[in-house]
Amino acid sequence: MVDAHETHVIVGAGLAGAKAAETLRAEGFTGRVILVGDEREQPYERPGLSKTFLAGSSPRGELFVHDSSWYAAHEVELRLGSR
Ligand SMILES: Cc1cc2nc3c(=O)[nH]c(=O)nc-3n(C[C@H](O)[C@H](O)[C@H](O)COP(=O)(O)OP(=O)(O)OC[C@H]3O[C@@H](n4cnc5c(N)ncnc54)[C@H](O)[C@@H]3O)c2cc1C
């Protein structure tokens, strides 16, 4: 159950933002975690874009930092397409 009295808002839903959210939960933070990203994709790792995905050697899903169910499972509110 999330404690609504404390909130972390992380701006930038890239690798650093997704890992910051993961670390907050891993270290026991029980407040709200809101991860805001201006892209429409959930957090992904950019190196794989050029090295594997665009080369056709890995599927799109492998670029994601977490699978899409991870955010709800860890009560991380993902707000995509928002600056
Ligand atoms: C094609 C490519 C290949 C790469 N290959 C390598 C490699 O092989 N090795 C390596 O070490 N590094 C590589 N890099 C660099 C590496 O990907 C970056 O260092 C890494 O992505 C940085 O992560 P980050 O989360 O800090 O930033 P980003 O991945 O840039 O994520 C930041 C996110 O925040 C969003 N954002 C910014 N401002 C706002 C705002 N005001 N409101 C909402 N959202 C916002 C951005 O749109 C972006 O989605 C590569 C980069 C690219 C583009």
Side-chain angles (χ1 to χ4, degrees):
M1 183 75 166
V2 164
D3 169 9
H5 291 98
E6 285 188 280
T7 301
H8 277 286
V9 178
I10 303 166
V11 178
L15 178 61
K19 287 294 179 182
E22 180 184 312
T23 301
L24 283 167
R25 289 299 184 226
E27 302 219 339
F29 178 69
T30 57
R32 289 179 75 192
V33 178
I34 302 172
L35 180 54
V36 181
D38 58 0
E39 295 186 67
R40 297 200 175 275
E41 295 287 353
Q42 68 185 65
Y44 60 92
E45 300 196 38
R46 297 187 192 280
L49 276 181
S50 53
K51 292 171 182 63
T52 58
F53 177 65
L54 291 175
S57 60
S58 74
R60 184 171 166 275
E62 282 188 10
L63 298 178
F64 295 134
V65 181
H66 302 106
D67 63 44
S68 51
S69 63
W70 183 90
Y71 298 93
H74 291 83
E75 298 188 81
V76 172
E77 299 170 43
L78 194 52
R79 297 193 186 166
L80 300 178
S82 300
R83 191 163 181 80

